[in-house]
Amino acid sequence: MVSKPKVVLGVSGGIAAYKACELLRRLTESGHDVRVVPTDSALHFVGAATWSALSGNPVSTEVWESVHEVPHVRIGQAADLVVVAPATADMLAKAAHGLADDLLTNTLLTARCPVVFAPAMHTEMWEHPATQENVATLRRRGAVVVEPAVGRLTGVDTGKGRLPDPAEIFEICRHVLNWHSPARGTATPDLAGRHVVVSAGGTREPLDPVRYLGNRSSGKQGYALARAAAARGARVTLVEANTGIPDPAGVDVVHVGTALQLREAVLKAVADADAVVMAAAVADFRPAVYATGKIKKQDDGGAPTVELVRNPDILAEISADRALPGQVVVGFAAETDDVLANGREKLRRKGCDLLVVNEVGERKTFGSEENEAVVLASDGAETPVPHGPKEALAETVWDLVLPRLRATT
Ligand code: CTP
């Protein structure tokens, strides 16, 4: 019988502790053996009885219980994943400095498995240089520190610092566990310390206040790429256009509408990026004139003529003028005919390192959960990706980006 993956859910003392109950429920219901290790302060928010009942395991905060079982060492050693949600500023500081004054901090020091921190705190605390340096230290050592979400905080405040949706934290845990399965045999996420930029969705080019020229891109592939990179430890900036998809946890999301806005956001984000993946469907043309009032029907029964102008080709621009030496640039190409020949030609014309070519058409619709593609490389390599979930294609793209990344110092 295959044993259940062992997850330690560390809970530190923040109001978002109640949301960790939902994360715990998702973890146990999906077949994980979860041991909850709260801090003393966390128990002010949610009591030990709740954690114990939901996990089916004993709960303790300190190292002096069941000493004969040496829990301060065993729990960390046995874990396949440690996730700390919420992680307070104090917990991040302790973890970064290796302090060990309770069961959770001891567990963090003895764990050799992947560790995910989902911070939650007030914006000022998150932005404080002390916290930012602690986060950078933890990331450099290979921990996945999820970016907090933006929104309503305790009281009347709003800003960055909310605990991401438990469903999103669960997705990250699932990714990290899959990624660190014994078959892969690595304990440090392979994109740790990297900054990657992903564009997703389809731009809309306004004609007047109520109409636009758009396309049918759903953005799902770009989101799968962003989630996968975050789970593999990267700092991710996602520039999204008109997807309507909730922000993924652990990802900095920039919302844009038009091709020109997308260009501006991507150029800003790539300044310090190790890799950029242009999965967005960018409109090649925009109306030459934007009518400030709604365009009305003409009395003579005629229809207006819309003059279009070319939008800049962002992929070609960032490929030709790399913001950093050795930056890896990946494009996507949706083709209806002569898919591979057109793909090779496009790879050369755009000047990127990798081009993910997929066939689109009546039968292969946009918005689906699945994809099938060939990834062409500028060195002539071709990697077919069989029909499957967009998540699988996302992993293959990062697998191919990885060996092309410049060496870190
Ligand atoms: N792209 C871009 N800027 C544009 C148009 C496209 O950066 N103005 C990027 C897309 O994000 C994608 C790639 O270029 O990664 C390929 O897009 P595609 O529309 O297939 O290429 P086009 O250059 O528009 O070629 P075609 O003539 O086939 O439309």
Side-chain angles (χ1 to χ4, degrees):
M1 205 180 86
V2 183
S3 65
K4 292 177 172 181
K6 287 189 166 44
V7 176
V8 172
L9 171 58
V11 185
S12 52
I15 181 69
Y18 77 93
K19 294 190 189 166
C21 299
E22 166 73 8
L23 175 61
L24 170 57
R25 196 185 57 76
R26 284 179 185 264
L27 286 165
T28 50
E29 283 180 2
S30 55
H32 300 87
D33 179 11
V34 188
R35 175 85 193 237
V36 183
V37 183
T39 62
D40 271 337
S41 322
L43 295 182
H44 287 293
F45 295 98
V46 179
T50 303
W51 299 122
S52 187
L54 287 177
S55 68
N57 274 320
V59 169
S60 162
T61 63
E62 41 117 317
V63 295
W64 305 115
E65 273 173 39
S66 311
V67 176
H68 63 288
E69 288 171 1
V70 205
H72 73 288
V73 176
R74 294 280 177 269
I75 295 173
Q77 281 177 337
D80 296 303
L81 173 76
V82 178
V83 50
V84 185
T88 58
D90 179 63
M91 179 51 60
L92 295 173
K94 282 182 173 156
H97 290 87
L99 300 187
D101 59 359
D102 63 4
L103 189 56
L104 178 53
T105 44
N106 273 276
T107 300
L108 286 168
L109 277 187
T110 50
R112 292 295 173 270
C113 59
V115 179
V116 175
F117 291 94
M121 63 197 74
H122 266 72
T123 312
E124 291 82 357
M125 296 174 92
W126 172 251
E127 288 176 348
H128 194 285
T131 305
Q132 286 302 305
E133 278 172 32
N134 291 331
V135 168
T137 301
L138 292 167
R139 283 182 173 151
R140 202 178 52 250
R141 290 193 198 130
V144 174
V145 184
V146 178
E147 286 291 309
V150 177
R152 181 85 190 266
L153 304 169
T154 324
V156 293
D157 300 358
T158 58
K160 190 164 188 172
R162 259 172 85 89
L163 186 77
D165 191 333
E168 289 287 346
I169 303 173
F170 170 69
E171 280 306 311
I172 292 197
C173 293
R174 224 169 40 92
H175 263 99
V176 172
L177 271 168
N178 279 346
W179 182 247
H180 297 282
S181 66
R184 297 224 189 226
T186 160
T188 306
D190 54 6
L191 290 174
R194 304 290 188 169
H195 176 210
V196 304
V197 177
V198 177
S199 70
T203 64
R204 290 179 183 172
E205 311 300 315
L207 278 160
D208 67 18
V210 293
R211 304 184 180 96
Y212 59 81
L213 297 178
N215 62 66
R216 295 168 61 191
S217 174
S218 69
K220 288 179 182 169
Q221 185 62 64
Y223 274 67
L225 281 154
R227 285 168 200 270
R232 290 169 74 158
R235 177 162 74 84
V236 184
T237 306
L238 173 65
V239 181
E240 79 82 38
N242 310 300
T243 61
I245 306 176
D247 294 354
V251 171
D252 262 329
V253 186
V254 185
H255 301 276
V256 298
T258 66
L260 291 181
Q261 289 166 354
L262 189 127
R263 173 178 176 272
E264 196 184 326
V266 167
L267 290 187
K268 188 167 169 224
V270 298
D272 67 348
D274 296 283
V276 47
V277 182
M278 286 291 297
V282 184
D284 288 323
F285 312 101
R286 68 179 183 278
V289 179
Y290 171 71
T292 50
K294 186 180 170 197
I295 301 169
K296 304 297 273 181
K297 285 192 284 296
Q298 294 163 350
D299 288 342
D300 61 5
T305 303
V306 178
E307 192 193 333
L308 300 175
V309 291
R310 282 284 283 270
N311 273 328
D313 188 324
I314 307 162
L315 178 61
E317 191 175 341
I318 56 180
S319 300
D321 191 10
R322 311 256 169 156
L324 288 177
Q327 186 174 66
V328 180
V329 181
V330 184
F332 268 70
E335 302 289 343
T336 50
D337 309 289
D338 292 334
V339 177
L340 278 184
N342 281 335
R344 278 190 209 98
E345 207 284 312
K346 195 168 280 184
L347 175 72
R348 195 191 49 71
R349 180 159 41 88
K350 302 259 187 180
C352 49
D353 303 296
L354 296 167
L355 190 74
V356 184
V357 187
N358 50 27
E359 192 177 344
V360 291
E362 283 308 316
R363 286 176 303 112
K364 307 192 172 189
T365 49
F366 289 94
S368 111
E369 302 296 335
E370 307 212 312
N371 217 339
E372 180 181 345
V374 179
V375 187
L376 304 176
S378 55
D379 59 15
E382 282 184 16
T383 310
V385 185
H387 187 81
K390 289 185 172 175
E391 284 74 20
L393 176 56
E395 298 292 355
T396 305
V397 169
W398 295 122
D399 286 348
L400 293 169
V401 165
L402 204 58
R404 292 172 168 84
L405 290 170
R406 74 199 155 95
T408 46
T409 45

